[in-house]
Amino acid sequence: MKTRPILIAAGAAITMFALAGCVPNNASTTDAAAAITVDSSATDCTVSAGTATSGTLKFSVTNSGDQVTEFYLLAEDGLRIVGEVENVGPGISRDLVVQAQPGDYFTVCKPGMVGDGIGRSSFTVTGDKVQLAGDVQEQVDQAAVNYVAYVKDQVGQLVTGTQAFVDAFVSDTPSPDGKTAAELYATTRANYERIEPVAESFGDLDPAIDFREADVPAEDEWTGWHRIEKDLFPPTADENGGTEYVPLTAEERTYYADKLVSDTQLLYDAVNDPDYTVSIDAIANGAIGLLEEVASGKITGEEEIWSHTDLWDFQANLEGAKVAYEGVRDIVETKDPDLVKTLDERFASLQDTLAEYGSLNSGFTYYDELTTDQVKQLADGVNALSEPLSQLTATLVG
C-alpha cells in the first residue's frame, strides 16, 4: 500500500545563504568563523578547520575544480543537511553561513552536483546549546529549505547509483566497484526509500519507478525497480502462480533499464526545479508517511517479495523519517518537549532493534529468514514509534 503524497507548494528558489535555526553566542563568533575556508577541487574537499564553537559559523567555499560544485554541512547521521551552498562555478567563491548547535557533523563537496560527493570529513562543534534564531516563521522557512536540499541530495545520489545498477543489470557483469546488479539492488534503492513520499507527490513517477506487481492495474505496464527485481531474483513456479518464470531477453533488460534511468531523471528534474519547495506540514507528514510505509509493506515482507530485502528498505524509510523529524525537532520542542523526548527515545529504540539484524553497509537478514517472534519484535517497535509520531504535524502547525 502506498502512502498519501507529500504536499508540494510553489515558492522562491533556494539561496546559497542557509541558516540552521540558532543564534550566535556573541558577536565575535561570526568573525572567528570567517577563518573556516573550503577548497572544492576535482579530487578533494579541504576544510581549514575540523572544529568550531557553537553559534554562527561561516564557511568560505572556493571552487578550484573544473565543474560546478556544492558544499554541505551534514548532521551526525551523514544524511540531514544542516546547511549547503550550491552552484559554485569554477574559480568562484561563495559563503555558507549556518547556526550550529554543539555536536558531530560532516563536511563534503559535490563536484558536478550529483552522486554522494567527495572528501567527506568529520567536523565537531563544541560549546553551549544556543537558542533558535528568528521568529517561528523564519525557523519554519529554513526547515523547508534544508529539507529540500536533503531531497535534492538523495535524488542526485539515486541518479548515479541507478546508472551503475542498470549498467550491471544490462551487461550481466560486475559494475566498476566489482558488484553485480543483484548485490547493488537493495543498497541503491535506499536513496529512493528515504524520500519516497516526495516521489509519490509527482503523479505517475512513483508508479513507474516503484510499483510492485500486485499494485499495477491490469491495463498498465509494469516497470521500475520491482520489475527488474523479479528478473534478478526469479521466482519458482509455485511462487509465480504455478507457471515457470521466463527471464527477460537482452532487449527487454535494456528497455526496462533505460525506462528506470529516464524516470529517475524526471524525478531529479522535478526536485531541482527552481520553484520546488515543501510546506512544513508536508515535512512532518512525510516522516509519518515513511513509517506507514514500513508498517504496510516492509514489516509484512510484501515490498521485496522476490529479493526479500525488506529490512534494507525498512532502514532507509526509518532514516528518512528521522531526517524529516529532526529537521523540525527544535521547533516542536518549544511547543511540546515531552513529545520530543518520547520521539527521541523511540526512534533510538527502533533503530537499536533493527540494528540487531544488520546494517546498510554490512547487509541485513533476509526477510524470509526472520522468525515470527522477530517480525513481531520489529512490528512492536514500529507501533511504539508510530503513535507519538502521528502527533507531529498537529503539534508543529497547531
Side-chain angles (χ1 to χ4, degrees), residues 122-375:
S122 299
F123 188 87
T124 303
V125 176
T126 60
D128 299 324
K129 184 175 181 179
V130 291
Q131 296 178 342
L132 292 175
D135 59 24
V136 172
Q137 188 58 54
E138 290 172 324
Q139 297 160 16
V140 164
D141 291 345
Q142 190 54 53
V145 167
N146 288 345
Y147 189 74
V148 168
Y150 161 74
V151 168
K152 291 166 64 177
D153 177 53
Q154 289 299 306
V155 178
Q157 292 184 50
L158 181 66
V159 167
T160 56
T162 299
Q163 187 63 63
F165 166 75
V166 299
D167 286 348
F169 175 63
V170 169
S171 65
D172 203 25
T173 57
S175 65
D177 63 3
K179 295 184 178 180
T180 65
E183 291 173 298
L184 291 170
Y185 174 79
T187 52
T188 305
R189 279 177 49 77
N191 295 118
Y192 187 86
E193 291 291 331
R194 291 185 186 117
I195 52 90
E196 188 169 3
V198 172
E200 291 173 347
S201 71
F202 293 110
D204 294 335
L205 277 182
D206 182 65
I209 293 172
D210 198 45
F211 259 23
R212 298 169 299 175
E213 187 172 17
D215 297 326
V216 182
E219 66 275 12
D220 291 348
E221 180 185 26
W222 181 32
T223 62
W225 282 101
H226 294 301
R227 181 63 191 92
I228 294 174
E229 176 203 6
K230 188 173 184 178
D231 202 61
L232 285 173
F233 306 93
T236 64
D238 288 343
E239 294 170 330
N240 198 43
T243 62
E244 293 293 331
Y245 174 74
V246 179
L248 297 176
T249 65
E251 291 77 13
E252 288 171 330
R253 282 192 167 207
T254 298
Y255 170 78
Y256 288 117
D258 289 348
K259 183 74 164 57
L260 180 58
V261 168
S262 63
D263 287 335
T264 303
Q265 183 63 45
L266 289 175
L267 177 60
Y268 177 87
D269 294 341
V271 301
N272 280 276
D273 187 293
D275 290 334
Y276 171 72
T277 188
V278 295
S279 60
I280 194 69
D281 57 322
I283 299 174
N285 286 335
I288 297 168
L290 281 164
L291 208 65
E292 289 175 351
E293 286 283 346
V294 174
S296 64
K298 283 69 176 184
I299 203 64
T300 63
E302 297 175 272
E303 179 77 6
E304 305 290 352
I305 193 170
W306 315 116
S307 65
H308 305 298
T309 55
D310 302 88
L311 294 192
W312 280 259
D313 291 356
F314 187 151
Q315 176 67 58
N317 284 161
L318 182 59
E319 289 175 349
K322 189 176 181 184
V323 166
Y325 159 64
E326 289 190 339
V328 298
R329 179 189 180 280
D330 287 350
I331 303 172
V332 176
E333 190 172 30
T334 64
K335 300 182 177 186
D336 192 340
D338 289 338
L339 177 61
V340 165
K341 182 175 183 292
T342 299
L343 286 171
D344 286 349
E345 291 172 349
R346 294 189 184 177
F347 263 113
S349 177
L350 181 55
Q351 181 58 73
D352 287 345
T353 299
L354 185 56
E356 294 176 15
Y357 303 97
S359 70
L360 287 176
N361 289 331
S362 64
F364 283 97
T365 302
Y366 291 102
Y367 186 84
D368 59 344
E369 297 174 0
L370 295 174
T371 67
T372 301
D373 287 344
Q374 288 172 329
V375 171

